[in-house]
Amino acid sequence: MPPLLALPFPAIDPVAVAIGPITIKWYALAYIVGLLGGWYYARRLVAADRYWGVVRRPGLNDIDDLIVWVALGVVLGGRIGYVLFYNLPLYLADPIEILAIRNGGMSFHGGFLGAVLAMVLFARARKLQALTLLDLAAVVVPIGLFFGRIANFVNGELWGRIAPDFPYAVVFPTGGPLPRHPSQLYEAATEGALLFVVMLLAVRAQGFRKPGLMGGIFVLGYALSRTFCEFFREPDRQLGYLFGTEDWSTGGITMGMVLCVPMALVGLGAIALALRGTTRPRVTAAEAPAPKADAA
């Protein structure tokens, strides 16, 4: 019998659709909805002239092609990042397990780096400014983060720390008999919904006229949101707490927090450079508007 201060885990089948031997899980649908939602929103942003000024924007066909590059970057980077950051000894002992993605194991920080590399390579191939693509992605990524964290909750994975006195704690099927923080929902609310609103307001206020600004705001915002949520999230079993324990007074530093430190520094640097005008594209004499004639 679950403790009094706990909510039972909702009985949600992790398989969303099953047709004969073919099954589609909620987690896969979350990736699909996140990518398609980001693609649709990116096309809307590219078509809005008021956001761009003299910055060269990608075309709609570029956005259509970019989503394939980003999807590959997220999947490959996420898997490689998990292998390197979270469970390297296991995969060194059994390298074939690296390919067993069906068993789980994806790192956001690795997926982030993979997506960044994919966009940089795509920008070089299409002769676009990489910072512009990164800014565009920064505004739409929270959509995928939101649905991805909801899928984590549905799967009953990446649950939070033990919280016996929290009235909305949940007893997860794979988390033992004690109630835990539903940290997946905290991440959906902060890294997803809240960060989406922040990016929406930022792009309406500044647009993409200062390359690197939107990307810097997102990276800093994600680092702060993830660090906050790490105080409620159970660390990976094979790593545990790098310093201290789950008690806030003793630190309780996790790998997720450590990886957010360089993200925050990069975000602050990008914001500073963008606001200083360092990243602003140079306008040639041919592109500059003609001076107005003096009135007679």
Side-chain angles (χ1 to χ4, degrees):
M1 181 176 180
L4 294 178
L5 293 177
L7 299 175
F9 183 76
I12 305 175
D13 191 338
V15 176
V17 179
I19 304 175
I22 301 174
T23 60
I24 302 176
K25 295 186 176 181
W26 288 109
Y27 200 73
L29 285 181
Y31 265 87
I32 294 171
V33 172
L35 286 170
L36 291 180
W39 164 78
Y40 173 77
Y41 188 29
R43 286 175 61 91
R44 293 282 301 271
L45 292 171
V46 163
D49 296 335
R50 64 187 180 277
Y51 294 143
W52 296 92
V54 298
V55 174
R56 184 189 171 198
R57 72 186 93 170
L60 295 179
N61 289 336
D62 292 325
I63 299 300
D64 295 344
D65 295 337
L66 178 61
I67 189 174
V68 179
W69 289 57
V70 170
L72 289 174
V74 167
V75 173
L76 293 177
R79 185 58 173 175
I80 293 171
Y82 182 81
V83 170
L84 294 178
F85 300 148
Y86 290 94
N87 219 345
L88 183 58
L90 170 67
Y91 293 108
L92 287 178
D94 189 8
I96 197 66
E97 277 295 310
I98 296 175
L99 303 177
I101 299 180
R102 67 183 182 279
N103 295 332
M106 296 287 283
S107 162
F108 169 82
H109 297 89
F112 170 77
L113 292 175
V116 168
L117 178 59
M119 284 184 280
V120 169
L121 295 176
F122 184 85
R124 291 187 62 180
R126 297 294 175 92
K127 295 181 171 54
L128 296 168
Q129 188 175 16
L131 283 178
T132 300
L133 294 183
L134 294 173
D135 283 343
L136 191 60
V139 179
V140 305
V141 162
I143 298 173
L145 290 175
F146 175 80
F147 287 106
R149 294 310 183 192
I150 294 295
N152 289 146
F153 180 78
V154 171
N155 286 350
E157 60 189 6
L158 304 182
W159 19 258
R161 304 184 189 187
I162 295 172
D165 299 325
F166 183 55
Y168 301 105
V170 176
V171 177
F172 290 93
T174 59
L178 296 177
R180 296 177 176 274
H181 283 287
S183 57
Q184 313 96 322
L185 301 183
Y186 303 168
E187 293 187 79
T190 54
E191 302 166 10
L194 178 60
L195 195 50
F196 177 78
V197 172
V198 169
M199 299 310 303
L200 177 65
L201 295 176
V203 79
R204 288 190 175 183
Q206 294 290 335
F208 300 97
R209 292 179 286 274
K210 297 178 180 178
L213 180 58
M214 294 300 111
I217 293 173
F218 167 77
V219 171
L220 176 61
Y222 178 84
L224 294 176
S225 300
R226 176 65 181 268
T227 300
F228 169 77
C229 291
E230 284 286 316
F231 282 107
F232 304 96
R233 176 173 166 171
E234 182 80 7
D236 290 71
R237 184 177 303 174
Q238 70 275 11
L239 291 178
Y241 297 96
L242 304 184
F243 308 101
T245 66
E246 63 181 323
D247 187 344
W248 287 31
S249 63
T250 61
I253 303 302
T254 66
M255 177 60 79
M257 293 177 181
V258 171
L259 294 175
C260 283
V261 172
M263 286 189 73
L265 295 176
V266 168
L268 286 170
I271 292 171
L273 291 174
L275 292 177
R276 240 187 248 173
T278 306
T279 61
R280 189 173 299 167
R282 299 176 183 273
V283 181
T284 64
E287 295 172 327
K292 293 183 179 180
D294 294 334

